[in-house]
Amino acid sequence: MTFTSSPSSWPSVIVGAILLVYWVKVLQLVVRTRRTVGRAANIVPPEPLGRALRIVWGPAVVLWIFLPLLVPFVLDPPAGLRPIWNVYGNGIVGWTMVAIALAALTITWVCWIKMGTSWRMGIDPNEKTRLVFTGPYSRVRHPIYGLSQVLGVVAVVVMPSPVMIAVGALHVFLMQWESRREEKFLVALHGPVYADYIRQTGRFIPRIKAARPHGADAAFPAEEGATKAA
């Protein structure tokens, strides 16, 4: 492959850089959790299904970051990495995607702060972390998962290659599946408190009328708490 110093799409490169920052922050949170809480952040979950999912999810995350970041510097990428349409380039759609990615990262950062020491990357059946019902979590059960899916779609828009489309679709599917797995686990763990929370909030999008659940100071291992994959 031949590389160039001038990328075919700056928005794609910037989105890739945003994703790199996102995942570097995730790794920092993993280290912080071990240091401050004395427990693993479940980057490799103790439950078998969670570990199996990482076999697929890990490589997908690597591709998710580096395809939009590096492919624009390749003059003649292989067919699987070549955008199947090239209507975005450095135009308004591409830069709009950059703005959306920056907004998603910013709101996710707020969610990480709100999660505090309850943040995790996977389900640990033997751990009960504190529920969080404040900030974005007062309206949405899985804001980080929702925003992660937005970032997945943004990456596809700026780098619409067959491989990137497959990675984006896989990521969205796994986020949808993981959020439902976690809800089932958290209802079993926290009982009526979390069940009531589910009734009053949206999974990824706020409901029109959302009330603060009872026991708002109780614990929420959250998508990024008792479990989380990003």
Side-chain angles (χ1 to χ4, degrees), residues 7 11 24 32 74 134 202 225:
V24 167
R32 185 200 69 180
V74 180
T134 58

Side-chain angles (χ1 to χ4, degrees), residues 12-168:
S12 177
V13 173
I14 295 171
V15 166
I18 291 169
L19 291 170
L20 182 59
V21 170
Y22 179 103
W23 283 100
V24 167
K25 178 61 178 178
V26 168
L27 293 177
Q28 290 177 341
L29 290 171
V30 169
V31 173
R32 185 200 69 180
T33 299
R34 170 63 75 178
R35 185 176 63 249
T36 61
V37 181
R39 298 184 68 105
N42 304 331
I43 191 169
V44 179
E47 44 122 18
L49 180 55
R51 290 198 301 271
L53 288 176
R54 291 299 189 270
I55 297 173
V56 176
W57 217 331
V61 167
V62 173
L63 291 172
W64 182 25
I65 297 169
F66 290 105
L67 288 181
L69 185 63
L70 299 180
V71 170
F73 290 98
V74 180
L75 284 176
D76 188 23
L81 303 181
R82 189 180 306 131
I84 58 178
W85 65 84
N86 189 21
V87 298
Y88 303 119
N90 297 300
I92 188 170
V93 173
W95 290 110
T96 299
M97 292 302 103
V98 170
I100 292 173
L102 284 171
L105 176 62
T106 300
I107 300 171
T108 300
W109 212 288
V110 172
C111 294
W112 284 328
I113 293 171
K114 285 293 181 181
M115 286 303 302
T117 57
S118 289
W119 181 87
R120 299 292 186 275
M121 286 191 69
I123 296 173
D124 183 349
N126 299 313
E127 183 180 15
K128 185 174 182 178
T129 56
R130 185 181 61 85
L131 287 171
V132 176
F133 293 136
T134 58
Y137 292 97
S138 67
R139 304 298 300 275
V140 178
R141 300 194 295 278
H142 304 285
I144 297 181
Y145 283 171
L147 292 164
S148 181
Q149 292 174 76
V150 170
L151 288 169
V153 172
V154 164
V156 170
V157 172
V158 297
M159 178 49 60
S161 67
V163 174
M164 188 71 249
I165 292 171
V167 167

